[in-house]
Amino acid sequence: MEYARLYPFWELLTEEQKSYIKQYCYQETYQKGMLMHRSKDSCKGLITVLSGQLRTYLMSDEGREVTLFRVNGGEVCVLSTTSLMDSIEYDVLIEPTEKTEVLILPTDCLNHILADNPHMELFLYKTAAERFSEVMWTIQQILFQRIDQRVAAFLWDEYVRSKELTLCLTHDEIARNIGSAREVVSKALKYLAENGLIELKRGKIVIIDTEKLKSFL
């Protein structure tokens, strides 16, 4: 395991702390859509994505979901360590958007190191600040962007991430990711298709003009 690549603070740890992490870290694999963590439960620990992608989101009492941000391979999810951020009172859920392998540093081990090493704590809070910036961007999109622009932006992000023109996405999945209703998303997708940006197929969306899609953002 390349801990130095996964943890930027690795070289600032003592040999004892490095040994502690190697002893207690463990890997888990989750399938798409599995609820792997929610913040109102006990803290899982520091989650690092080895492959795949995680989605962190909120859910209303009516079941409507709003994606806060996504965590890709090589990145860490700090909201699974909410014991470090006692002021967070809302319930954050985390699930894979595809088959995802993660490395977990358990909370007890994490807290043990945090007590003696400020470099790890600084890394966690810096990462949390960066994620908060993404959350603010999400809120800005919801408040100020048209729904067709939000759908186009989501499709563009998926294209950039996957490098694939054919995206295996349902209208419901897109709605859950951007915090909208499926019916509204379907209308936006139809509009994008009518304007020659995409082609709609059963369970798939084919991007047919990347330049036009990008300019639509």
Side-chain angles (χ1 to χ4, degrees), residues 65-81:
E65 299 176 8
V66 177
T67 298
L68 300 177
F69 56 83
R70 290 179 284 176
V71 185
N72 298 304
E75 299 177 343
V76 300
C77 185
V78 294
L79 289 185
S80 56
T81 62

Side-chain angles (χ1 to χ4, degrees), residues 13 53 75 81 101 114 116 121 123 136 147 166 172 209:
L13 298 174
Q53 185 188 73
E75 299 177 343
T81 62
E101 185 178 8
L114 284 172
D116 298 316
E121 185 174 27
F123 166 76
M136 294 303 296
I147 184 63
T166 300
D172 184 62
D209 193 329

Side-chain angles (χ1 to χ4, degrees), residues 154-155 158 167-171 173-174 201 203-205:
F154 176 76
L155 295 178
E158 287 297 295
L167 306 175
C168 296
L169 294 165
T170 66
H171 297 195
E173 284 180 290
I174 297 173
K201 295 186 176 181
K204 297 179 181 180
I205 297 171

Side-chain angles (χ1 to χ4, degrees), residues 51-68:
S51 64
Q53 185 188 73
L54 298 179
R55 178 175 78 103
T56 66
Y57 64 99
L58 301 176
M59 181 183 292
S60 69
D61 293 337
E62 296 77 26
R64 180 177 174 180
E65 299 176 8
V66 177
T67 298
L68 300 177

Side-chain angles (χ1 to χ4, degrees), residues 20-152:
Y20 205 65
I21 289 177
K22 291 178 181 179
Q23 180 180 354
Y24 289 102
C25 266
Y26 62 95
Q27 295 183 40
E28 285 191 347
T29 300
Y30 294 88
Q31 301 300 321
K32 178 180 178 179
M34 291 176 61
L35 180 61
M36 63 174 293
H37 177 77
R38 63 187 310 164
S39 57
K40 74 176 185 179
D41 298 332
S42 59
C43 296
K44 198 173 191 70
L46 182 64
I47 298 175
T48 303
V49 178
L50 300 176
S51 64
Q53 185 188 73
L54 298 179
R55 178 175 78 103
T56 66
Y57 64 99
L58 301 176
M59 181 183 292
S60 69
D61 293 337
E62 296 77 26
R64 180 177 174 180
E65 299 176 8
V66 177
T67 298
L68 300 177
F69 56 83
R70 290 179 284 176
V71 185
N72 298 304
E75 299 177 343
V76 300
C77 185
V78 294
L79 289 185
S80 56
T81 62
T82 48
S83 57
L84 303 176
M85 296 171 276
D86 295 333
S87 59
I88 295 181
E89 298 178 354
Y90 50 85
D91 188 21
V92 178
L93 298 91
I94 303 173
E95 70 173 22
T97 62
E98 57 189 76
K99 183 179 179 180
T100 301
E101 185 178 8
V102 299
L103 180 69
I104 300 175
L105 180 61
T107 299
D108 289 345
C109 179
L110 179 65
N111 291 340
H112 176 79
I113 298 174
L114 284 172
D116 298 316
N117 195 305
H119 300 292
M120 178 186 276
E121 185 174 27
L122 179 62
F123 166 76
L124 292 180
Y125 280 104
K126 180 182 177 181
T127 303
E130 292 171 352
R131 294 304 184 191
F132 179 72
S133 177
E134 293 183 46
V135 172
M136 294 303 296
W137 181 80
T138 298
I139 293 173
Q140 184 181 39
Q141 277 195 312
I142 293 173
L143 292 177
F144 303 118
Q145 277 196 317
R146 301 192 315 267
I147 184 63
D148 52 351
Q149 290 178 312
R150 289 168 56 198
V151 171

